[in-house]
Amino acid sequence: MKVVKFGGSSLASGEQLKKVLNIVVSDPTRKVVVVSAPGKRYSDDIKVTDLLIECAEKYLANENADGVFQTIIERYASIVKELSIPLDIVETISKDLKALLSGDKSKPESYLDAVKASGEDNNAKLIAAFFRHSGLNAEYVNPKDAGLLVSDEPGNAQVLPESYENLYKLREKEGIVVFPGFFGYNKKGEVLTFSRSGSDITGSILANGIKADLYENFTDVDAVYSVNPTFVQNPKEISELTYREMRELSYAGFSVFHDEALIPAFRAGIPVNVKNTNNPSAPGTRIVNERSNSNGPVIGIASDKGFCSIYVSKYLMNREIGFGRKLLQILEDYGLTYEHVPSGIDDVTVILRQDQMDEALEAQIKDRIMTELHADEVIIEHDLVLIMVVGEGMRHNVGTTARAAKALAHADVNIEMINQGSSEVSMMFGVKEPQEKRAVQALYNEFFVAVPV
Ligand SMILES: Nc1ncnc2c1ncn2[C@@H]1O[C@H](COP(=O)(O)OP(=O)(O)O)[C@@H](O)[C@H]1O
Ligand SMILES: N[C@@H](CC(=O)OP(=O)(O)O)C(=O)O
């Protein structure tokens, strides 16, 4: 039994949905089909989820949202027309969305989640109708009815463990289950979404729940590439990588698969196969527990923008009991999460996502570190890029760091920070944003082009 997830790019038009249907019918073990909302049809198109967010925000601000509402309904209508299925489903979607938009706005975050989730929910209903219209025994299943329970964190919900047992019952359904991705319900019965691109997470949870043999994740590329294809032309395809490698790579920018989607599949030992809806016969990339190590030390290089660093220096910091705790407590007081904390004897740097802070908050934090911790110096730097060089083979391979640092030096890239050793499968470099592309290309060249692997 397989769980198959189709991303927004695979569901963006009627033409794409016909490919999806062919993929589903070509393998009778494809039992549970998880779907996203319609995505982009071309590069500067807008995803339905983004349109829904815009629409909900306009409603919250009491602004006119007729234009964007109409654009959303037209997206569904054009798919329905292309597929020649009865048009009344568009009317149902329109009424459902109108009702949601006119609903309770007293908790804006919950309101936004409910509107966002409707993108997947209505698309799942539409796709189930299309499957049935094409002669398939298919049923739309709502996450509440299936028992997909999540924590009370709008826009960042986490699955509750009891969901898995509930979801196991989906195995008993007769036909194909069409299940909306991206959201679940809290115990009060309210809708909550996962973080953006979270339909991958739903697929992984369902694969664990029904104890699937395989979780197939269909997208718009033939494989996970060893580097983001926008930085390097025709990058090397990865045929197999471990859950740990993929987790680190997706955390650091391989947006092809959500980093939170690894754990549920990993816990149940279910392999993940990333495949292309537009070329389903290509083998794709398999994500497994262990892989044969024939790739050299590095399997992939990822990078992600939007970080800042708080550098704190104080003579004899290493002798001061509780310094690190007090520093992190200041960040906790402002509800900030941090990503990494590389440290030296007299100094420590905390790396954070910079969209959590503004100028006023930074000034307060700086002031508190100076006055409460009596630091000698506090410097906040912005626009950092974290580059993650990942590979299981790095553990046993002396000199990988030196090779990476040398490649960056030759490319004239200034390394702002190195973090190596905490993870057995990765090392991380911090560079300034304008140097991102050059740095990634230099590392790719070093590990994949210059030396045969
Ligand atoms: N290392 C990588 N390998 C493959 N694709 C990548 C990588 N890094 C980023 N991507 C991007 O991820 C995209 C697929 O993810 P996404 O747009 O979320 O698809 P979907 O609509 O199927 O959810 C690809 O089109 C590609 O641009
Ligand atoms: N539609 C949601 C969830 C999702 O997973 O979408 P996609 O499969 O297009 O990445 C989003 O855009 O965040």
Side-chain angles (χ1 to χ4, degrees), residues 5-9 36-39 47 49-50 120 181-182 195-200:
K5 179 257 170 177
F6 292 93
S9 57
S36 290
K47 291 171 106 179
T49 308
D50 291 311
E120 282 36 40
F182 194 37
S195 54
R196 288 301 305 269
S197 296
S199 299
D200 287 343

Side-chain angles (χ1 to χ4, degrees), residues 5 7-10 197 200 218-221 223-230 253-256:
K5 179 257 170 177
S9 57
S10 306
S197 296
D200 287 343
F218 278 88
T219 180
D220 64 349
V221 279
V224 177
Y225 300 113
S226 47
V227 68
N228 188 329
T230 54
F254 275 23
S255 53
V256 60

